[in-house]
Amino acid sequence: MMRRILFALVGALALGGLTVTAAGPAAAHSTVVSTDPADGAKVETGPARVSITFNENLQPSFPSLTVVGPDGNLWSKGKPVVDGPTVSVEVGDLGPAGTYTMAYRVTSADGHPVSGTRSFELTTPGHGTPGPKADAKGGNSGGGDSGGVPLWVFIVAAVVLFGGGLAFALFGGRSRRSGSGGKP
């Protein structure tokens, strides 16, 4: 009897491990494939819009894309727009020469938020009017994409393990001697 319990437990754990492993590639998050202007590019005049393109379509809910200049002011205007795998925002004429940082936070196709920063350098000062000072709390201090395992992977693993235990309790614990009336 103990051997059967151990066998069922090992089987359930193996099945749970396979489920989590198989879900790994599906849990991959959106990654940046290009930006306009390109990350680290030097430009003489500012673009009318900046954009960041990802490897898969984005969810259009609650995107964030801001452009902050070397003066600490916002230079992006209006709300960001998601079009398939690309998020963009209007910029217009820029101001002082220096590094402009594009900070983004979008929702990938799997529902996981992805955020990070990219930058470009304006080499010739423009004549644009800055927006307000950038919100120190709203910016992203990390320079890369966010990581972590999404919650649904743990939920699937828990369901598989619970289901395996329940199946064993219902079907695996029955005696093989059905015709003996329960007597040994």
Side-chain angles (χ1 to χ4, degrees):
M1 180 69 172
M2 196 65 166
R3 187 181 300 175
R4 288 180 57 180
I5 292 173
L6 181 60
F7 179 72
L9 183 59
V10 168
L13 288 173
L15 184 60
L18 280 173
T19 302
V20 171
T21 302
H29 308 305
S30 297
T31 57
V32 174
V33 293
S34 67
T35 62
D36 185 22
D39 189 27
K42 294 183 180 195
V43 296
E44 289 186 26
T45 59
R49 289 186 85 75
V50 297
S51 65
I52 300 177
T53 301
F54 294 82
N55 65 327
E56 63 184 4
N57 286 345
L58 302 171
Q59 292 186 12
S61 350
F62 311 111
S64 174
L65 177 58
T66 58
V67 178
V68 178
D71 56 356
N73 290 324
L74 283 174
W75 289 88
S76 47
K77 310 204 183 315
K79 296 185 182 224
V81 176
V82 171
D83 183 16
T86 303
V87 61
S88 65
V89 69
E90 183 182 349
V91 178
D93 197 16
L94 296 178
T99 301
Y100 285 76
T101 302
M102 301 179 285
Y104 63 89
R105 182 171 175 89
V106 295
T107 306
S108 65
D110 67 359
H112 188 83
V114 178
S115 59
T117 59
R118 300 295 189 264
S119 63
F120 63 93
E121 184 179 338
L122 182 66
T123 58
T124 305
H127 302 290
T129 304
K133 283 286 187 193
D135 180 8
K137 292 182 231 168
N140 180 346
S141 59
D145 298 338
S146 65
V149 178
L151 179 61
W152 70 266
V153 171
F154 295 104
I155 293 171
V156 168
V159 168
V160 167
L161 289 174
F162 178 77
L166 183 61
F168 174 76
L170 293 175
F171 304 112
R174 289 188 179 166
S175 174
R176 290 186 193 182
R177 294 177 243 155
S178 59
S180 66
K183 296 180 185 173

